[in-house]
Amino acid sequence: MKLHTRIFIGLLAGAIAGSLLALFAVSGVAAIIKPVGDLFIKLLKMIAIPLIAVSIMGATAGFADLKKLGRVGLKGLSFFLASMVLATALGIVAANLFQPGRNLDPARKAAILAGMQADADLQKKAAIGSGAPRAGVADFLLSMVPANPFTALANGDMLAVITFSILLGLAFSLIAPQKRDRVLELLDALNDALIVLVKGVMRLAPYAVFALITSVIAQFGFHFLLALLEYSLVTIGVMAVFLFAYYGLAVLLLGRVSPMHFFRSLSSVGLLAFSTSSSNAVLPENMVSCEQKLDIDRGIVSFILPLGATINMSGTSIYQGVSAVFIAQVFGIALSLQQQLLIVLTATLAAVGTAGIPGIGIITLAMVLGASGLPLEGIGLIIGVERILDMCRTVLNVLGDSATALIVDRSEKRRERRRTWV
Ligand code: ASP
């Protein structure tokens, strides 16, 4: 049986087991099996940081011409940013159109807020959100440069690791050719060994997905989703449209690959993103699938995917756009066009600053609310459905990276073909 089929069975079985546990209120059982899921995520994260460092260094050192490196980086970054701005704007338009916050009746709103007051765990999360630092653009740029690359590696500070790896990779490409080739060979061997590790860890995936989904559903149940059904449906609906229409079309028109083939090749990546809620944890498997199933050049995979896992979050952008407008509607605040444009800007920046780990999108949402003058209590309102929305937005975040890598790869290949004809 194929891996994605086994993962899907794990997911379905987890949904059933979790619902039964929630129904009979025996969530203690979920706590017993959850460590299997946690172990899987830990193993993937263990591989992610060395894989990013090794593959980016190898890719930058191996790019024969630096112009190509610059072009690939620029194409990737522009597509990331354009997608995120569009995603936020679409979220805002949909929230204006469907007005999920207008229909939330006051009694229900009071009940949700009261439930939130009673739940210490939720309160803690909201407190973290409201205290989120408002990082400026300069701070963000400075944080990309590590004062100590080993600390950055140890702390899993992705952006800083990426910067250092690019710079060291560039330096490798400038040393004596015999020495550079030896380094390249070593990096290539390390990369292959890390991929062997990824494949080994992926054998655990179906069981881990079962454990993760069982514990999420046993812990949260479905009742929160019902209380905020319209808001959740609008958010998930926009994400689905963005995934299949926007990325599907982009893959077809710019990548010249059938969307069917694209989504099928990445089905296990999508299922993993949904189950783990972590772009970073899925990165190793995404890299292997993009290279082996979609035939994307290793150099481009190594460069675009880690960058994307760190800054490209179109799912988080949609979530923040819809959530900001939803919160304004619930609290009866009319947003001017100018304010909505400000939300597009701040939500895009906040999404860029969102780390690829579970539950960060709601914390950076506090920045968006603060910058647009919306009440921070709004976080308490939506925190109950946070987990399920996090699972969905991670799928979009991750597959958006793969689509971008594919588009950049095919455009580079077309360019090379044109050049060989001339
Ligand atoms: N969990 C998301 C991711 O890893 C980030 C977020 O919280 O929005 O991509």
Side-chain angles (χ1 to χ4, degrees), residues 273 276-282 308-309 312-317 319-320 350-351 354-364 386 389-391 393-398 401:
T276 60
S277 288
S278 168
S279 299
N280 290 1
V282 189
N312 178 43
M313 307 269 168
S314 41
T316 306
S317 304
Y319 164 77
Q320 298 196 331
T354 301
I357 49 178
I360 300 298
I362 195 162
I363 293 177
T364 48
E386 156 62 10
L389 297 183
D390 191 12
M391 292 159 86
R393 64 186 187 243
T394 308
V395 175
L396 193 51
N397 290 348
V398 170
D401 303 339

Side-chain angles (χ1 to χ4, degrees), residues 175-187:
I175 60 176
Q178 314 93 296
K179 287 187 190 166
R180 184 200 56 210
D181 290 348
R182 254 180 279 151
V183 174
L184 268 178
E185 216 172 292
L186 176 69
L187 290 173

Side-chain angles (χ1 to χ4, degrees), residues 72-82 304 307 311 404:
V72 164
L74 201 67
K75 280 184 194 169
L77 275 178
S78 333
F79 198 71
F80 285 155
L81 277 181
I304 297 289
L307 201 63
I311 60 173
T404 310

Side-chain angles (χ1 to χ4, degrees), residues 369-411:
L369 297 181
S372 357
L374 292 169
L376 286 172
E377 297 99 285
I379 300 246
L381 208 59
I382 55 171
I383 207 160
V385 283
E386 156 62 10
R387 183 61 201 226
I388 176 75
L389 297 183
D390 191 12
M391 292 159 86
C392 298
R393 64 186 187 243
T394 308
V395 175
L396 193 51
N397 290 348
V398 170
L399 295 183
D401 303 339
S402 332
T404 310
L406 178 87
I407 289 164
V408 174
D409 177 71
R410 295 306 194 264
S411 105

Side-chain angles (χ1 to χ4, degrees), residues 94-303:
N96 277 305
L97 215 63
F98 296 104
Q99 309 231 337
R102 289 276 151 79
N103 301 331
L104 190 76
D105 82 84
R108 209 194 259 180
K109 171 182 155 192
I112 296 174
L113 283 176
M116 142 94 191
Q117 301 288 308
D119 191 325
D121 194 36
L122 293 187
Q123 265 184 347
K124 214 167 59 198
K125 279 197 193 158
I128 299 172
S130 58
R134 289 197 207 162
V137 177
D139 285 342
F140 177 71
L141 292 177
L142 275 178
S143 74
M144 288 173 66
V145 182
N148 177 344
F150 295 101
T151 316
L153 278 167
N155 292 340
D157 186 350
M158 300 269 267
L159 219 47
V161 171
I162 291 175
T163 310
F164 178 70
S165 309
I166 292 177
L167 292 179
L168 191 59
L170 282 175
F172 282 143
S173 71
L174 298 175
I175 60 176
Q178 314 93 296
K179 287 187 190 166
R180 184 200 56 210
D181 290 348
R182 254 180 279 151
V183 174
L184 268 178
E185 216 172 292
L186 176 69
L187 290 173
D188 205 37
L190 277 172
N191 207 329
D192 285 352
L194 287 164
I195 288 175
V196 170
L197 275 185
V198 176
K199 291 193 168 162
V201 174
M202 285 307 292
R203 288 169 182 261
L204 248 186
Y207 313 102
V209 165
F210 170 77
L212 289 168
I213 298 291
T214 304
S215 63
V216 166
I217 295 184
Q219 189 185 351
F220 296 103
F222 291 112
H223 61 286
F224 264 119
L225 195 59
L226 289 179
L228 289 168
L229 194 62
E230 281 160 69
Y231 158 73
S232 311
L233 284 182
V234 171
T235 313
I236 296 174
V238 180
M239 288 185 197
V241 168
F242 204 76
L243 180 62
F244 295 111
Y246 173 75
Y247 282 125
L249 268 182
V251 160
L252 181 69
L253 300 178
L254 303 174
R256 318 247 168 104
V257 165
S258 120
M260 231 2 201
H261 173 62
F262 174 80
F263 288 117
R264 216 183 261 162
S265 306
L266 297 175
S267 49
S268 53
V269 171
L271 288 169
L272 276 188
F274 185 74
S275 320
T276 60
S277 288
S278 168
S279 299
N280 290 1
V282 189
L283 179 63
E285 174 62 9
N286 199 11
M287 290 173 81
V288 176
S289 297
C290 280
E291 192 185 330
Q292 296 183 352
K293 295 187 189 155
L294 291 172
D295 196 26
I296 303 178
D297 186 64
R298 180 178 277 191
I300 290 181
V301 164
S302 309
F303 198 56

